[in-house]
Amino acid sequence: MGFTKNDAYNYIEKTKREKIFHGDANAAIIYLEGIAVSDPMCMARYNLTARQTTIFGFGLVLDESVGSYTWLLENLLEGMCNKKPSVIMTDGCDSMRAAIKAVFSEATHRLCAWHMEKKLTSNVKDGGLQQLFTMWLYSNMEIEEFEAEWHTTVEEYGLDDSFWAKETYNKRRMWVNAYLKDKFYVEFRTTSRCEGINANVKKFLNSRHSVLEMVQNVKLMVQKYRNIELDAHFRSIHINPVITTCLDSLERFVVTVYT
């Protein structure tokens, strides 16, 4: 009897499923329980304000439901001694939005500007309307000014029956800069750094990994970011800064007080 390539793949998948059923999932749970106590390094970074990309923790969820995300955020909060973030930025997932509202009700939730513009180009082809939207997204205007312009635009472009327009307007406090300009975001407007982390995670994972291997590889990825941070810390201490203005003495003084 001969075997085809598909037979081989089917056998591998069957073996993998049996492995998960008979112990891989339990092994992953035991491994996670061993590191479930909050990592002191993660806690230290969580309590600092910096522009260095860092990871506070990771978790496995069954699905992308409100319940799963709520559980994840509640566990993060518990692990970080119940210190709540003041600002959160996401790509606009409705389930995550609901979970954030439930767990971090006092935090300002801002939607990623890049994702908002991507949705705009998918729903609007008129260049003039796209320019208006971009202005509302970034311009330092007043709330009353935005509201007046929005209603005029809806009438001018016939958007009264547009589901996208209604949904976008209902979320205006999460993306219109007029509503957000008094909040401190350290100039971040997109989730690009998170996207960068996601890209790195994919380098450590593939479909042939078991659950335990996946968790262990994510741990390696976290260590990679810690090494990058250590390298940046070393450079900030031992390497002379690049002077970018004519105020040499002032810049060099700033280096001694800001890392």
Side-chain angles (χ1 to χ4, degrees), residues 2 5 16 29 36-38 43 47 49 59 61 67 83 88 92 94 133 137 150 152 155 166 171 174 201 219 225 254:
K5 181 183 291 186
K16 187 196 302 183
I29 291 172
V37 177
S38 299
M43 293 183 68
N47 283 279
T49 300
V61 292
K83 180 179 179 180
I88 300 172
D94 289 336
F133 186 92
L137 197 57
W150 174 272
T152 299
E155 182 177 352
K166 291 179 180 178
K171 296 179 180 179
M174 303 171 68
V201 169
K219 187 73 173 177
Y225 272 87
V254 170

Side-chain angles (χ1 to χ4, degrees), residues 244-259:
T244 59
T245 74
C246 60
L247 304 174
D248 291 25
S249 59
L250 179 59
E251 282 199 66
R252 295 186 187 283
F253 170 74
V254 170
V255 169
T256 66
V257 296
Y258 181 80
T259 63

Side-chain angles (χ1 to χ4, degrees), residues 59-129:
L60 295 175
V61 292
L62 180 64
D63 51 35
E64 298 181 351
S65 65
V66 176
S68 292
Y69 285 145
T70 299
W71 171 85
L72 184 65
L73 295 181
E74 286 175 343
N75 278 271
L76 172 65
L77 185 61
E78 181 181 354
M80 297 302 170
C81 301
N82 291 311
K83 180 179 179 180
K84 297 183 178 181
S86 58
V87 173
I88 300 172
M89 188 178 298
T90 70
D91 61 5
C93 169
D94 289 336
S95 295
M96 179 58 79
R97 178 188 176 193
I100 290 172
K101 187 175 182 180
V103 182
F104 301 133
S105 57
E106 298 178 0
T108 298
H109 185 185
R110 183 167 194 161
L111 299 180
C112 169
W114 184 85
H115 283 90
M116 292 300 295
E117 289 189 290
K118 185 178 180 181
K119 286 184 178 180
L120 171 70
T121 54
S122 299
N123 290 275
V124 176
K125 305 305 178 184
D126 186 281
L129 183 54

Side-chain angles (χ1 to χ4, degrees), residues 9-226:
Y9 280 128
N10 289 336
Y11 175 78
I12 292 172
E13 288 301 316
K14 179 183 177 184
T15 303
K16 187 196 302 183
R17 288 194 296 270
E18 290 177 348
K19 182 180 178 183
I20 292 174
F21 180 78
H22 290 296
D24 177 56
N26 287 332
I29 291 172
I30 292 172
Y31 178 81
L32 285 171
E33 287 177 343
I35 62 174
V37 177
S38 299
D39 188 324
M41 293 180 70
C42 285
M43 293 183 68
R45 285 157 177 74
Y46 187 84
N47 283 279
L48 294 174
T49 300
R51 295 190 67 173
Q52 184 78 28
T53 301
T54 188
I55 298 173
F56 300 132
F58 63 90
L60 295 175
V61 292
L62 180 64
D63 51 35
E64 298 181 351
S65 65
V66 176
S68 292
Y69 285 145
T70 299
W71 171 85
L72 184 65
L73 295 181
E74 286 175 343
N75 278 271
L76 172 65
L77 185 61
E78 181 181 354
M80 297 302 170
C81 301
N82 291 311
K83 180 179 179 180
K84 297 183 178 181
S86 58
V87 173
I88 300 172
M89 188 178 298
T90 70
D91 61 5
C93 169
D94 289 336
S95 295
M96 179 58 79
R97 178 188 176 193
I100 290 172
K101 187 175 182 180
V103 182
F104 301 133
S105 57
E106 298 178 0
T108 298
H109 185 185
R110 183 167 194 161
L111 299 180
C112 169
W114 184 85
H115 283 90
M116 292 300 295
E117 289 189 290
K118 185 178 180 181
K119 286 184 178 180
L120 171 70
T121 54
S122 299
N123 290 275
V124 176
K125 305 305 178 184
D126 186 281
L129 183 54
Q130 290 181 356
Q131 289 181 356
L132 280 171
F133 186 92
T134 301
M135 180 183 68
W136 297 331
L137 197 57
Y138 297 106
S139 178
N140 189 27
M141 62 195 310
E142 299 300 322
I143 293 176
E144 295 77 11
E145 187 179 356
F146 160 75
E147 292 289 349
E149 288 190 3
W150 174 272
H151 293 297
T152 299
T153 301
V154 167
E155 182 177 352
E156 180 181 347
Y157 287 90
L159 299 175
D160 295 281
D161 297 324
S162 169
F163 175 79
W164 168 82
K166 291 179 180 178
E167 183 182 47
T168 302
Y169 180 73
N170 289 337
K171 296 179 180 179
R172 64 192 182 282
R173 297 179 184 277
M174 303 171 68
W175 65 270
V176 177
N177 196 53
Y179 286 98
L180 299 165
K181 62 182 181 179
D182 62 333
K183 306 298 181 181
F184 183 61
Y185 294 94
V186 203
E187 298 182 0
F188 292 141
R189 296 178 186 269
T190 71
T191 57
S192 58
R193 293 200 179 196
C194 293
E195 302 298 335
I197 292 176
N198 291 340
N200 274 319
V201 169
K202 292 178 180 178
K203 296 177 183 177
F204 289 84
L205 307 177
N206 65 58
S207 60
R208 295 179 181 273
H209 285 152
S210 66
V211 176
L212 178 58
E213 289 170 335
M214 180 189 71
V215 172
Q216 291 173 330
N217 284 347
V218 170
K219 187 73 173 177
L220 290 175
M221 185 268 297
V222 172
Q223 187 59 52
K224 175 184 176 182
Y225 272 87
R226 285 183 174 171

